[in-house]
Amino acid sequence: MSNPSNFRIAHIMAGAVNGGAELFFERLCIAQHLQKLSVLPIIRKNSDRKRKFTEVGLFSHELRFGGLLDLSTKYELKRILKDFSPRVAVAWMNRAASFMPRGDWINVGRLGGFYDLKYYRQCDHLVGNTKGIVEWIKNQGWPENCVHHVPNFARTFPDACARRPSYIPNNAPFLLALGRLHVNKGFDILIKAMPNLANTHLLIAGEGEERQKLENLARFLKVQDRVHMPGWIGDISGIIQACDILVCSSRHEPLGNIVLEGFSATKPVVALAAQGPVELIDNGKNGLLTPLEDETALSKAIASLTNDAALSQRIAIAGRQKFEREFSQATVLQKWYEFLTRIEKI
C-alpha cells in the first residue's frame, strides 16, 4: 500500500472525555500518524487526550466547541484548517460537524449512530461505521455516491497478562461489560439476569448518570456482592484477558465496540439483539444473541457458555477469525485510506 506522507487529513472531535467514538478517534488518529499520513487532530479541550497524541509525536489543537455563546471556535477552526491545508477534514459526530467551515478541502462527517443529519449540511460525504447506518443515511435522501461504509478496528491485547481483580474469586465465572452507565447500555437488564447466575461475578467498567439506579437495583436483587462497578478503568487489557465472557447488554447499540473487543481478545460474546450486534454476530457461531429486554434469555445464554467449555471456546475462536478478516487494524486502515483517496469534493 502506498501512503504518501504529503496526504493531509484533519480529524475534528468535540466529544466527551470517554466513549466508544472518542476512543476510536484517538486510535485512528494515532494509527494514521504511524502510517506516515500527515494527521492533525482538532479536539475539545482535554489534557489527557492531548497527552496521548503528544506521546507519539502527534501535534493537536484544542478548541472550546462550546454552546451558542461560543463565537470563536468556528473562526479558529477555519483558520487552523486553512493553515494546515488538508485534503480531507473529518468531523466526528454532531457537535464537531455543526462547527465545520467550508474550504478547499473535502468535508466528511463520520457517524457512529443514527444522528440528526441537519448537523452535516456542510459535509460533502458521510461515512458510517456500520452497514445499517449507511442504509439509514441513504434512506434520509443522501445520494448513494456520497455515503460510505468504513468500520472501526478494535483494540488488540497481544501482550496483556490476565489480571483478575482481587474481589472476583478465582473459581467464579467472570462476566465483563464495558461502557457509559447510560440507560441505552442496558446494564439494568444484565443486573436483572444475575439472580439466575449463581456464583457468577459481573464487572461493569464505566461511569455515568445511571450509577445510583444500578447500585440500588443490585441491592434490591441481593446481588450487590457479585456486581462490581469500579468506574472507568484506564488499562482494560489485563481484565479482558482474565474474563470468561464479554456481555453487550445494550438495548440500543449502532455498532458495539465491546463485541469487536471480545472478538479481538478471543473471548465469547453474548449480546442483546440491538442493531450493531445483529450485524456483527452470527448467532450460535461467533457469538450468542438474545432478545431485547429479556433478562431470562440473557441469563440462559450466559449459562450455556459457563456450563460448556467446548462451546465457549468454539464461539471465541470464530469471533477472533471474523475480527482478523474484517476488523483488524491493518484491514480497517486500508479501507480508510482507500476511502480517503477515492472521494472528491462535491
Side-chain angles (χ1 to χ4, degrees):
M1 176 178 66
S2 174
N3 289 317
S5 59
N6 62 353
F7 187 95
R8 305 175 74 81
I9 176 171
H11 286 287
I12 300 94
M13 165 61 80
V17 174
N18 293 298
E22 289 83 356
L23 292 174
F24 181 63
F25 165 84
E26 294 171 1
R27 293 201 300 274
L28 182 62
C29 287
I30 291 170
Q32 289 182 328
H33 169 67
L34 297 176
Q35 199 183 17
K36 304 304 182 185
L37 302 185
S38 183
V39 178
L40 178 65
I42 302 172
I43 60 176
R44 200 175 192 175
K45 290 183 181 298
N46 184 314
S47 58
D48 185 58
R49 186 161 291 143
K50 187 175 182 69
R51 176 188 55 77
K52 290 179 184 178
F53 292 142
T54 302
E55 286 175 350
V56 297
L58 184 54
F59 175 79
S60 60
H61 274 286
E62 290 182 297
L63 296 175
R64 278 187 59 204
F65 289 107
L68 294 175
L69 297 180
D70 178 6
L71 303 178
S72 64
T73 293
K74 194 160 191 174
Y75 170 81
E76 286 297 311
L77 179 57
K78 185 166 188 176
R79 181 187 62 78
I80 291 167
L81 289 173
K82 285 182 70 174
D83 288 347
F84 181 64
S85 189
R87 182 177 186 273
V88 179
V90 182
W92 290 65
M93 302 189 294
N94 296 352
R95 185 180 291 267
S98 70
F99 280 94
M100 287 296 286
R102 287 284 186 176
D104 294 334
W105 51 86
I106 301 165
N107 276 347
V108 171
R110 188 272 187 187
L111 289 81
F114 302 92
Y115 305 151
D116 190 336
L117 298 184
K118 71 181 181 182
Y119 295 104
Y120 298 84
R121 293 169 181 157
Q122 301 292 350
C123 293
D124 303 298
H125 297 264
L126 298 182
V127 57
N129 64 352
T130 72
K131 294 175 183 177
I133 291 171
V134 167
E135 289 307 309
W136 177 82
I137 295 170
K138 292 177 184 177
N139 290 338
Q140 307 309 301
W142 270 73
E144 188 168 340
N145 66 325
C146 297
V147 187
H148 314 268
H149 172 232
V150 186
N152 289 8
F153 60 81
R155 291 180 289 185
T156 57
F157 315 97
D159 302 318
C161 296
R163 180 171 55 85
R164 179 177 285 238
S166 59
Y167 45 80
I168 297 180
N170 288 330
N171 60 348
F174 174 13
L175 312 179
L176 177 62
L178 307 170
R180 188 159 61 94
L181 305 185
H182 185 278
V183 65
N184 285 349
K185 295 299 183 182
F187 294 130
D188 57 311
I189 304 168
L190 181 50
I191 292 173
K192 289 176 184 176
M194 290 298 288
N196 298 324
L197 297 166
N199 303 318
T200 298
H201 281 246
L202 166 65
L203 191 159
I204 303 174
E207 195 52 83
E209 61 270 29
E210 289 286 299
R211 170 174 285 279
Q212 192 62 59
K213 289 182 180 179
L214 296 174
E215 289 176 344
N216 291 343
L217 177 62
R219 279 192 294 270
F220 176 76
L221 296 173
K222 296 181 170 56
V223 295
Q224 70 273 18
D225 59 328
R226 297 188 289 114
V227 174
H228 312 279
M229 291 189 289
W232 291 109
I233 298 175
D235 181 4
I236 201 73
S237 56
I239 292 175
I240 284 184
Q241 293 290 17
C243 79
D244 297 305
I245 299 170
L246 266 80
V247 184
C248 179
S249 59
S250 297
R251 48 175 53 93
H252 175 70
E253 188 63 70
L255 174 61
N257 278 308
I258 188 173
V259 175
L260 297 181
E261 291 180 347
F263 288 172
S264 169
T266 320
K267 297 292 179 178
V269 176
V270 178
L272 299 188
Q275 305 97 317
V278 165
E279 188 172 309
L280 296 171
I281 292 175
D282 187 353
N283 188 34
K285 295 184 178 179
N286 61 3
L288 297 181
L289 291 168
T290 65
L292 298 175
E293 307 295 338
D294 191 338
E295 63 269 17
T296 301
L298 179 60
S299 65
K300 287 180 179 178
I302 292 169
S304 73
L305 294 178
T306 59
N307 295 331
D308 189 337
L311 173 63
S312 180
Q313 183 179 34
R314 184 165 66 249
I315 283 177
I317 290 171
R320 174 67 193 188
Q321 291 170 340
K322 183 176 180 69
F323 166 78
E324 291 174 350
R325 288 194 307 270
E326 301 179 34
F327 301 104
S328 70
Q329 178 171 311
T331 298
V332 173
L333 282 177
Q334 173 72 27
K335 290 179 179 179
W336 263 98
Y337 185 71
E338 290 172 353
F339 160 68
L340 292 169
T341 54
R342 183 179 69 245
I343 57 176
E344 300 292 339
K345 189 171 178 62
I346 303 299

